[in-house]
Amino acid sequence: MKTKLTLILLAMVTMCMTVNAQKNGASAPEASKVLIAYFSATGTTAGVANKIANVTGGKLYRILPETDYSRADLNWNNKQSRSSVEMNDPKVRPTLKDKNVNAADYDVVFLGYPIWWDKAPRIINTFIEAYDWKGKRIIPFATSGGSSIRNSVKELKENYPDLTWEEGRLLNGADESSIRKWTAQFGF
């Protein structure tokens, strides 16, 4: 009798664990359907993007400008620097080096960038406008020397209201553990 009871309990526990595993697996996006697209002028955002890829299993894609930004281009104290000129004109769209992303392959896009002048750099607009992201979940993330991500995400949502935006997060100095906690809310 004890053996039968033990076997029944063991079978029930196994069934519960199997159902729970299937349930959890069904809600998580497939890693092959996740894109981590990022622009990084100095390497800081690239480091965070790599950690998100490690946690989610998604594919990394570096958003590259046709012409790299030099140190002088990034001098925000110089009103004539390339980044200052671009950020002062909302219509500027820096040219992408390549456009080899097949948006149809992805369901979730983590979109990363440094904060420039409390906004996403204009090349992020170029990237968004280069593809059809309708029906995709877009999850912004950023790095910054002093700004929050709030205004940049607000502007992206206003400029592209037809896209499905999730709450963005500033990930300065984030480790894989904190990224894992953050991405868990999106099913990872």
Side-chain angles (χ1 to χ4, degrees):
M1 185 71 171
K2 251 186 181 177
T3 306
K4 279 186 180 183
L5 185 59
T6 303
L7 288 174
I8 290 171
L9 286 173
L10 186 58
M12 288 174 59
V13 168
T14 303
M15 271 184 18
C16 288
M17 290 175 62
T18 302
V19 168
N20 191 40
Q22 289 172 346
K23 186 172 148 187
N24 289 338
S27 65
E30 290 180 47
S32 62
K33 299 282 189 175
V34 177
L35 178 68
I36 298 94
Y38 68 95
F39 166 68
S40 186
T42 63
T44 304
T45 307
V48 174
N50 279 298
K51 290 174 187 172
I52 293 171
N54 288 343
V55 168
T56 65
K59 180 176 171 38
L60 276 172
Y61 177 79
R62 185 170 179 190
I63 300 168
L64 293 168
E66 189 170 67
T67 305
D68 289 336
Y69 288 88
S70 69
R71 186 187 225 51
D73 290 336
L74 298 172
N75 182 355
W76 59 275
N77 289 312
N78 177 355
K79 292 183 184 199
Q80 299 307 310
S81 74
R82 177 178 163 198
S83 58
S84 295
V85 170
E86 287 177 3
M87 295 310 293
N88 283 322
D89 184 353
K91 294 180 182 166
V92 167
R93 296 297 183 264
T95 306
L96 296 171
K97 190 171 201 164
D98 61 57
K99 293 186 210 173
N100 60 7
V101 171
N102 185 359
D105 289 348
Y106 303 99
D107 297 324
V108 177
V109 179
F110 285 89
L111 182 60
Y113 51 88
I115 303 289
W116 288 2
W117 292 261
D118 206 27
K119 303 171 184 359
R122 301 290 180 215
I123 196 160
I124 295 300
N125 299 90
T126 307
F127 177 76
I128 292 169
E129 293 167 10
Y131 302 97
D132 180 7
W133 298 114
K134 287 183 183 161
K136 316 295 181 187
R137 291 171 57 202
I138 302 176
I139 306 168
F141 68 94
T143 57
S144 174
S147 299
S148 77
I149 193 173
R150 190 172 296 124
N151 189 63
S152 69
V153 172
K154 177 181 168 261
E155 285 195 2
L156 289 171
K157 287 178 178 182
E158 287 171 0
N159 289 329
Y160 308 101
D162 293 340
L163 301 182
T164 304
W165 295 96
E166 299 285 353
E167 283 307 309
R169 186 156 209 190
L170 193 64
L171 294 172
N172 290 340
D175 60 13
E176 284 191 21
S177 175
S178 61
I179 288 171
R180 189 170 284 107
K181 287 177 189 170
W182 173 59
T183 58
Q185 68 184 304
F186 307 115
F188 295 95

